[in-house]
Amino acid sequence: MLLRTIALLLLLASGASAQTKRAPLPPISDAILQEHVELGEELESRADGDLNGDGDPDTAYVTASEDRRTLHVLLRIHGRGVQTHRPAGELILPEAPLGAASLSIAKGVLKVEDLSGGTTAMSSTYRYRLDAKTGQMRLIGLDATLYSRTFAHDGYEMSWNLLTGAIITRVLALNGDGDNAAYTPKFE
């Protein structure tokens, strides 16, 4: 009898805690996001995921026009029955994109992968995390590679961890020519 009573109490307690926990909000709708896109701009890419640890999906998106590309971050806010969002930062991206920026959010980190340029291209990966004190996104890592897409010259790589301060740079030496052209890391 005592075991049944304990089991019933545990069942009731787990049901009560499940009732107090609310379901996560849906991502910001495309209609709301379009309100933030200025005249002459278009939505290039977007990603939804939890950046502030509240369980609700926040949104990162890139807008593009003929002369400007901008990364924006909106945090989803829920409080006292009101659902809203607030800006948490923006970044001007390089012009002359060679495709849409790729955005992803995992474990509270926003990852932005971008390729821009022409025959000489810059491949960049930015990593951001929300700074709890300021409520703004903070750059925590940057990887960049400058190289020739036609193998006309050497390339260069850089990886910078802003949390540790570690910076690694490499020269990418052109190796071979024609269909056999490739880059080989030479100096680090």
Side-chain angles (χ1 to χ4, degrees):
M1 182 70 167
L2 179 61
L3 289 176
R4 260 193 235 163
T5 304
I6 291 173
L8 181 60
L9 288 174
L10 287 174
L11 183 61
L12 290 173
S14 67
S17 66
Q19 290 175 351
T20 59
K21 188 175 181 181
R22 66 173 178 79
L25 297 172
I28 295 171
S29 71
D30 287 339
I32 290 174
L33 205 54
Q34 286 297 330
E35 293 174 10
H36 294 272
V37 177
E38 295 183 19
L39 188 61
E41 290 182 333
E42 63 181 33
L43 188 60
E44 181 178 301
S45 55
R46 83 176 270 175
D48 301 295
D50 189 8
L51 291 168
N52 58 3
D54 66 357
D56 292 324
D58 305 301
T59 301
Y61 63 100
V62 174
T63 57
S65 66
E66 287 184 21
D67 59 347
R68 183 177 171 127
R69 296 170 66 229
T70 309
L71 166 68
H72 307 269
V73 176
L74 291 175
L75 299 178
R76 192 71 188 251
I77 307 297
H78 183 278
R80 299 182 188 217
V82 177
Q83 299 175 22
T84 187
H85 52 273
R86 72 166 183 80
E90 64 180 43
L91 169 73
I92 304 298
L93 293 172
E95 295 177 26
L98 297 171
S102 172
L103 308 176
S104 61
I105 298 172
K107 298 181 182 178
V109 175
L110 168 62
K111 182 178 176 183
V112 180
E113 296 176 285
D114 192 40
L115 181 62
S116 60
T119 55
T120 296
M122 174 73 75
S123 172
S124 306
T125 301
Y126 308 87
R127 288 177 186 79
Y128 290 92
R129 181 171 285 143
L130 185 69
D131 184 331
K133 291 181 183 177
T134 65
Q136 296 292 305
M137 297 303 289
R138 177 179 174 208
L139 182 66
I140 61 170
L142 172 61
D143 299 324
T145 304
L146 179 73
Y147 66 101
S148 170
R149 296 188 315 141
T150 59
F151 297 103
H153 54 74
D154 288 346
Y156 304 92
E157 281 184 326
M158 184 230 19
S159 180
W160 183 18
N161 182 328
L162 282 83
L163 298 176
T164 65
I167 300 174
I168 298 170
T169 60
R170 284 185 203 92
V171 172
L172 301 175
L174 187 57
N175 184 359
D177 56 8
D179 289 342
N180 296 323
Y183 283 114
T184 303
K186 191 169 184 181
F187 302 107
E188 184 171 312

